[in-house]
């Protein structure tokens, strides 16, 4: 079965990296880090074989389910890693190897998000969690339906919001001071769309 045939980038020959000329960020996009065949394969395997689970978070003394499914993998040699979590799958290791070759960065963890339809999304936020340190380097890979990825500067309101469509097989690197100065989101949509899987590779550095 062929997936996401409206994605013309696979036949355009556009495998160049795009470096965004913006203040306070190092933002790099490659629309086709993976071939169409690779993207289709990884999409199907991850969608059907991942142990997806719901995630709850506390907001203003209320427990709310986030509108997406998640799964977490990390090196068990990491300080504080839960040893009973599943091991990296062969497919995740293959994707990780490709990302590390593109970024020249060694990652030790990955968060998978499943956006099941247009009702799933993520609101404005910055990734500054304690376990990843300040200004964490995050490499994002997308498989499945194209979703809009939006960024806005926290302080310089005169800078227009940036909208980046993340396609099937694309890769986006957020480095530098991105997490200190920028917020990002994946907005919900009323369109009838297929699922999207996003992997964000990270470096865990817990201070226990």
């Amino acid at each position: 079965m062929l997936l996401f045939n409206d994605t013309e980038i696979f036949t355009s020959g556009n495998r160049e990296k795009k470096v965004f000329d913006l203040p306070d960020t190092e933002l790099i996009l490659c629309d086709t880090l993976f071939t169409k065949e690779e993207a289709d394969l990884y999409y199907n395997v991850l969608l059907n074989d991942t142990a997806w689970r719901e995630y709850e978070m506390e907001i203003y003394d209320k427990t709310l389910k986030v509108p997406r499914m998640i799964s977490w993998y990390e090196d068990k040699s990491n300080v504080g890693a839960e040893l009973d979590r599943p091991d990296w799958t062969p497919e995740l290791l293959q994707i990780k190897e490709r990302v590390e070759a593109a970024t020249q960065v060694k990652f030790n963890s990955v968060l998978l998000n499943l956006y099941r339809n247009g009702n799933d999304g993520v609101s404005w936020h910055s990734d500054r969690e304690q376990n990843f340190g300040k200004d964490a380097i995050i490499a994002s890979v997308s498989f499945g339906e194209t979703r809009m990825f939006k960024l806005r500067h926290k302080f310089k309101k005169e800078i227009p919001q940036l909208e980046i469509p993340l396609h099937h097989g694309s890769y986006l690197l957020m480095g530098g001071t991105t997490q200190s100065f920028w917020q990002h989101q994946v907005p919900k949509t009323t369109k009838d769309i297929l699922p999207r899987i996003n992997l964000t590779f990270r470096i865990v550095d817990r201070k226990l």
Side-chain angles (χ1 to χ4, degrees), residues 27 67-68 113 115 118-127 138 140 142 145-154 160-166 172 174 178-179 181-189 196 198 200 202:
L27 198 64
R68 59 191 181 279
N113 284 284
Y115 299 84
N119 293 321
D120 283 354
V122 59
S123 58
W124 289 111
H125 71 285
S126 298
D127 289 286
I138 298 176
S140 170
S142 295
E145 188 74 64
T146 297
R147 294 291 294 267
M148 193 63 68
F149 185 78
K150 294 187 176 184
L151 297 103
R152 67 182 183 186
H153 200 284
K154 295 181 183 180
Q161 289 187 17
L162 178 65
E163 296 187 350
I164 304 174
L166 295 181
L172 180 72
M174 293 185 287
T178 304
Q179 304 308 319
F181 288 91
W182 291 80
Q183 292 180 318
H184 53 273
Q185 72 158 344
V186 177
K188 297 179 181 181
T189 177
R196 172 202 183 223
N198 177 247
T200 50
R202 304 156 183 263

Side-chain angles (χ1 to χ4, degrees), residues 48-197:
N48 295 303
D49 296 348
T50 301
W52 299 107
R53 64 180 179 87
E54 292 184 327
Y55 176 66
E56 296 181 341
M57 60 188 306
E58 299 289 332
I59 301 179
Y60 301 117
D61 298 324
K62 293 183 179 180
T63 301
L64 301 176
K65 291 182 180 178
V66 300
R68 59 191 181 279
M69 304 288 283
I70 70 164
S71 192
W72 173 258
Y73 291 81
E74 69 170 291
D75 293 351
K76 293 185 177 179
S77 59
N78 291 347
V79 174
E82 297 180 18
L83 301 182
D84 59 345
R85 285 189 178 274
D87 293 324
W88 291 84
T89 66
E91 291 79 16
L92 286 175
L93 289 174
Q94 291 166 11
I95 299 168
K96 177 173 174 285
E97 182 178 0
R98 184 74 59 84
V99 169
E100 290 176 340
T103 60
Q104 297 299 301
V105 175
K106 289 291 184 182
F107 296 97
N108 61 19
S109 57
V110 63
L111 175 66
L112 288 81
N113 284 284
L114 171 61
Y115 299 84
R116 294 160 290 188
N117 50 50
N119 293 321
D120 283 354
V122 59
S123 58
W124 289 111
H125 71 285
S126 298
D127 289 286
R128 295 191 63 186
E129 298 181 42
Q130 180 179 357
N131 290 339
F132 306 110
K134 183 180 179 181
D135 294 320
I137 299 173
I138 298 176
S140 170
V141 173
S142 295
F143 299 115
E145 188 74 64
T146 297
R147 294 291 294 267
M148 193 63 68
F149 185 78
K150 294 187 176 184
L151 297 103
R152 67 182 183 186
H153 200 284
K154 295 181 183 180
F155 313 111
K156 299 177 181 178
K157 304 304 181 183
E158 70 276 11
I159 299 177
Q161 289 187 17
L162 178 65
E163 296 187 350
I164 304 174
L166 295 181
H167 300 293
H168 187 44
S170 68
Y171 140 81
L172 180 72
L173 179 68
M174 293 185 287
T177 58
T178 304
Q179 304 308 319
S180 289
F181 288 91
W182 291 80
Q183 292 180 318
H184 53 273
Q185 72 158 344
V186 177
K188 297 179 181 181
T189 177
T190 58
K191 295 180 180 179
D192 184 16
I193 58 175
L194 293 171
R196 172 202 183 223
I197 298 170

